[in-house]
Amino acid sequence: MLELKLDRVSRHYKQKIAVDRLEYTFQTGIYGLLGANGAGKTTLLRMMTGVLKPTSGEILCDQCEIGKMGGEYRMKLGYLPQELGYYPNFTVWRYLEYLAELKAVPPETARRRMEDLLKVTGLEHVKKDKIKTLSGGMIRRLGIAQSLLNDPEILILDEPTAGLDPRERIRFRNLISTLGRNRMVLLSSHIVADIEFIADEILLMKGGKIAASGNLEKILETAKGKVWECIELPETAEMLSRKFLVSNLKNLEDGTVSMRVVSDAPPTEQAVLMEPNLEDVYLYQTGTGGIR
């Protein structure tokens, strides 16, 4: 079974530590990476693709350091960066054809893969159009298609559903679930629901470290006893919002406010303990987001 191992991996930018001595082992399956902006997610993914070199530590693919594997590692890899680079005057077909050449995919295989991927991503009808004429969502779909051209064993996706409408997001969540059956998929997203629905293992990053990891059930346990529901008058709700992390707030018909609060201790005497969801865990572990 393919194995990708982080061995005390760090990355520094002058005085900033973006990734701090991470240790983790990835195998076949879908790994969801959650964290606030600046948590180190994109830096970690760029190191795992070989685009960036660690300041210290090693990334090992089947016990071999990826930098020493060169083209052998790149052949195993599919990558969708947060910002997709492309030639605006290329047609969709020419762009995929060009990248297939760069990935050393045999021409006959490349044509079959391109046709299949255009169907899967819903871009078949625009394959002769120039990329500069596509919508942001279509360009994101094109990025997903190019990441799969070489049928990679390791698929790294940085914000793959950014710019997609809800229907497209669901389609690609299902696609990623299918892909994870026989390969390693690393998925970074700000959309908690995407991670919650499809990830076999969840890694929650904060300050360049892994704050929590495990399957959904294990991750939810980290916020058990920390999530509360309060029904308050608007003035009290406003005060509590300034003091606590609030994951949800809803105005009720009787003029009161229903609040979902993430806190170690009950925010009010009347607060009722609730079962946590992944969004609650995200707020609890990172201390960010919500209504404050």
Side-chain angles (χ1 to χ4, degrees), residues 80 140-141 144 157-162 164 172 176 187-189:
L80 173 61
R140 206 68 193 151
R141 284 188 262 162
I144 293 170
L157 307 171
D158 196 356
E159 299 290 342
T161 59
L164 301 183
F172 284 108
I176 291 165
L187 164 69
S188 171
S189 179

Side-chain angles (χ1 to χ4, degrees), residues 51-275:
V51 173
L52 286 178
K53 290 185 178 180
T55 304
S56 61
E58 290 184 317
I59 301 174
L60 306 170
C61 180
D62 288 341
Q63 302 182 345
C64 184
E65 202 276 317
I66 63 172
K68 295 176 181 176
M69 294 175 69
E72 182 187 352
Y73 181 67
R74 289 192 294 274
M75 289 298 294
K76 295 178 182 290
L77 188 68
Y79 177 42
L80 173 61
Q82 205 165 14
E83 297 294 332
L84 180 68
Y86 58 88
Y87 297 99
N89 286 314
F90 272 24
T91 65
V92 167
W93 182 267
R94 177 60 188 131
Y95 175 72
L96 291 177
E97 191 175 51
Y98 173 67
L99 287 179
E101 291 170 5
L102 291 181
K103 294 171 186 272
V105 181
E108 193 58 43
T109 303
R111 280 190 290 274
R112 287 197 303 271
R113 291 287 296 165
M114 288 160 60
E115 292 285 6
D116 290 344
L117 290 169
L118 288 171
K119 289 176 184 175
V120 166
T121 54
L123 293 174
E124 196 176 20
H125 67 292
V126 295
K127 68 181 182 181
K128 295 181 180 179
D129 293 0
K130 291 186 177 180
I131 298 176
K132 65 182 179 182
T133 68
L134 303 184
S135 67
M138 285 182 172
I139 290 173
R140 206 68 193 151
R141 284 188 262 162
L142 180 59
I144 293 170
Q146 65 79 29
S147 72
L148 294 167
L149 277 168
N150 57 327
D151 196 17
E153 295 178 70
I154 303 168
L155 185 59
I156 295 179
L157 307 171
D158 196 356
E159 299 290 342
T161 59
L164 301 183
D165 64 34
R167 183 185 295 272
E168 289 174 322
R169 275 181 48 217
I170 291 168
R171 181 198 300 171
F172 284 108
R173 281 209 309 250
N174 293 339
L175 171 61
I176 291 165
S177 292
T178 301
L179 294 171
R181 291 176 191 159
N182 57 2
R183 74 189 80 211
M184 183 191 303
V185 180
L186 281 75
L187 164 69
S188 171
S189 179
H190 285 91
I191 302 171
V192 174
D194 285 349
I195 299 294
E196 189 165 17
F197 276 116
I198 64 175
D200 301 312
E201 296 280 321
I202 298 167
L203 285 74
L204 213 156
M205 288 190 70
K206 179 181 180 182
K209 295 178 178 287
I210 297 174
S213 65
N215 60 26
L216 181 60
E217 184 179 357
K218 182 179 177 181
I219 286 286
L220 294 181
E221 281 291 325
T222 66
K224 204 167 185 63
K226 317 291 185 184
V227 182
W228 311 86
E229 184 181 63
C230 311
I231 307 295
E232 303 293 341
L233 293 171
E235 313 85 70
T236 307
E238 186 176 344
M239 180 272 293
L240 292 173
S241 295
R242 291 195 295 268
K243 189 175 180 181
F244 295 98
L245 285 169
V246 179
S247 63
N248 194 40
L249 186 150
K250 182 179 180 181
N251 294 312
L252 302 179
E253 290 183 1
D254 63 0
T256 59
V257 179
S258 172
M259 307 179 69
R260 190 177 178 94
V261 178
V262 182
S263 170
D264 286 319
T268 68
E269 290 183 4
Q270 296 77 30
V272 177
L273 197 60
M274 305 293 288
E275 286 295 318

